[in-house]
Amino acid sequence: MAIPSPQAPTAVVMVRPHHFTINTQTAVDNAFQRDVSESADHAACAYQEITRAAEMLRDLGVGVHLFEDAGTDTPDAVFPNNWFSTHAGGHIAIYPMKAPNRRKERRTDIIEMLKRQYRVQDVIDYSGLEPDGLFLEGTGSMVLDHIDRVAYAVKSDRTNPVALERFCTHFNFEPIVFPAEDAKGVPVYHTNVLMCVATDFAMIGTDLMVGPEGWQKVVRRLEQSGRDVIALDRGQIARFAGNAIELQGRDGRILALSRTAHAALTCEQIARIEASVKIAALDIPTIEMAGGSVRCTLAGIHLAPRD
């Protein structure tokens, strides 16, 4: 087995939706969402997609803590990585969310499970920043390099610089903020649809980055960390090729992404990825209608188990 990497958690939290639908409160600034009506078929498909994805990850040796969401007022509960994150040393962060209905996704039972099964020293709750309009939507807003301690963040209404600076001070990350837009000039709403940082490589939608200064700052920083930087074009980003996460499986590290994303990659890009990880392509097309993909459905656990 490959040497474990701080970048690749061995376990994740997933939330299985029972009444999946599209969140109208987030459609204003999430260009990845599709305008579809509420449907029992969509709900059933989303339930099965998360079920199969969890099974596939478990088969690969990734620990999966699967929680149920039977509510009807939390349409984005399937994306738990936005409201909390975990960090080596026993730390948990809870985040301020822009959409009012997304604030209902925060669950004490998930935090209590983490405290029971892992070594947790403290929980830092930033949700009190919401009344002041200061938002930071977890590892959607930030793509964290746990090895070099860098927090990459696209400028958006969901990533407030004050909240970002506060998080980086508490958790010892260097913030690198840059602008990014789609072909219509709409700012990218979350950083994790634009880029993925793994142990030995990084994937990033360089075509969406605005201005040479931001491009040079991000790409050079990634290259300085010794990573192979794989550039993704606009079409690949639109198909969620940047929305991936490296995990530690039973037989080595894997890159979890969607079948949609995998199909968008070139043979040359796949070869560069597979030089260090095995690709796990999860089939979640219904979930992707909500504007997020595999990375968004997985909240990585960077905590030490109690056993």
Side-chain angles (χ1 to χ4, degrees):
M1 179 183 293
I3 298 174
S5 166
Q7 194 67 22
T10 59
V12 297
V13 167
M14 301 181 72
V15 177
R16 178 163 52 190
H18 290 238
H19 302 283
F20 173 82
T21 187
I22 307 303
N23 191 351
T24 57
Q25 290 190 17
T26 59
V28 175
D29 61 352
N30 183 347
F32 290 77
Q33 283 185 217
R34 290 169 57 183
D35 185 13
V36 295
S37 59
E38 185 172 351
S39 163
D41 289 341
H42 288 153
C45 288
Y47 181 94
Q48 290 301 324
E49 287 171 10
I50 292 299
T51 301
R52 289 192 296 267
E55 290 173 352
M56 183 174 178
L57 291 176
R58 283 171 174 160
D59 287 345
L60 291 167
V62 177
V64 177
H65 300 279
L66 184 60
F67 286 79
E68 308 295 329
D69 178 63
T72 58
D73 57 351
T74 49
D76 280 338
V78 70
F79 303 135
N81 81 304
N82 297 139
W83 70 262
F84 82 97
S85 66
T86 65
H87 302 268
H91 310 294
I92 297 175
I94 297 177
Y95 296 101
M97 311 286 284
K98 180 181 178 183
N101 64 6
R102 295 217 62 188
R103 300 167 191 174
K104 300 176 182 179
E105 297 170 24
R106 295 190 285 255
R107 296 174 54 160
T108 56
D109 59 340
I110 291 179
I111 301 302
E112 290 307 312
M113 179 280 294
L114 293 172
K115 290 179 178 179
R116 286 194 308 271
Q117 298 197 27
Y118 298 90
R119 299 187 182 279
V120 175
Q121 299 297 323
D122 56 21
V123 178
I124 300 178
D125 189 349
Y126 299 104
S127 62
L129 296 173
E130 287 167 350
D132 295 320
L134 307 179
F135 311 120
L136 183 68
E137 296 188 343
T139 53
S141 287
M142 305 174 289
V143 171
L144 301 177
D145 180 347
H146 293 272
I147 299 173
D148 276 27
R149 311 302 299 174
V150 179
Y152 295 96
V154 169
K155 294 179 180 179
S156 81
D157 290 341
R158 304 196 196 190
T159 306
N160 179 270
V162 173
L164 175 65
E165 188 68 37
R166 191 169 299 183
F167 165 84
C168 288
T169 298
H170 285 156
F171 288 87
N172 190 32
F173 282 91
E174 170 196 353
I176 293 185
V177 183
F178 60 99
E181 299 175 351
D182 66 17
K184 298 180 180 178
V186 178
V188 174
Y189 79 106
H190 272 167
T191 312
N192 76 358
V193 296
L194 179 74
M195 66 183 295
C196 161
V197 176
T199 301
D200 298 321
F201 64 90
M203 305 159 64
I204 182 166
T206 52
D207 286 355
L208 286 78
M209 301 175 72
V210 178
E213 181 180 353
W215 187 93
Q216 292 172 1
K217 179 169 57 176
V218 175
V219 174
R220 285 180 179 173
R221 188 70 177 82
L222 289 167
E223 290 176 339
Q224 287 171 0
S225 72
R227 291 179 171 89
D228 177 20
V229 178
I230 301 170
L232 303 174
D233 62 30
R234 291 183 183 276
Q236 292 174 317
I237 292 298
R239 295 174 69 185
F240 296 106
N243 196 241
I245 179 173
E246 185 183 49
L247 303 170
Q248 179 66 45
R250 183 182 304 105
D251 300 319
R253 296 194 301 272
I254 66 173
L255 185 73
L257 77 178
S258 73
R259 287 193 181 277
T260 303
H262 186 248
L265 297 173
T266 67
C267 293
E268 186 263 347
Q269 290 170 330
I270 290 173
R272 290 164 68 182
I273 293 168
E274 290 183 332
S276 62
V277 300
K278 176 182 179 179
I279 292 177
L282 311 180
D283 196 20
I284 60 165
T286 309
I287 300 293
E288 289 178 326
M289 293 179 181
S293 189
V294 164
R295 173 59 185 106
C296 303
T297 67
L298 304 177
I301 300 177
H302 294 268
L303 302 169
R306 286 193 175 274
D307 294 338

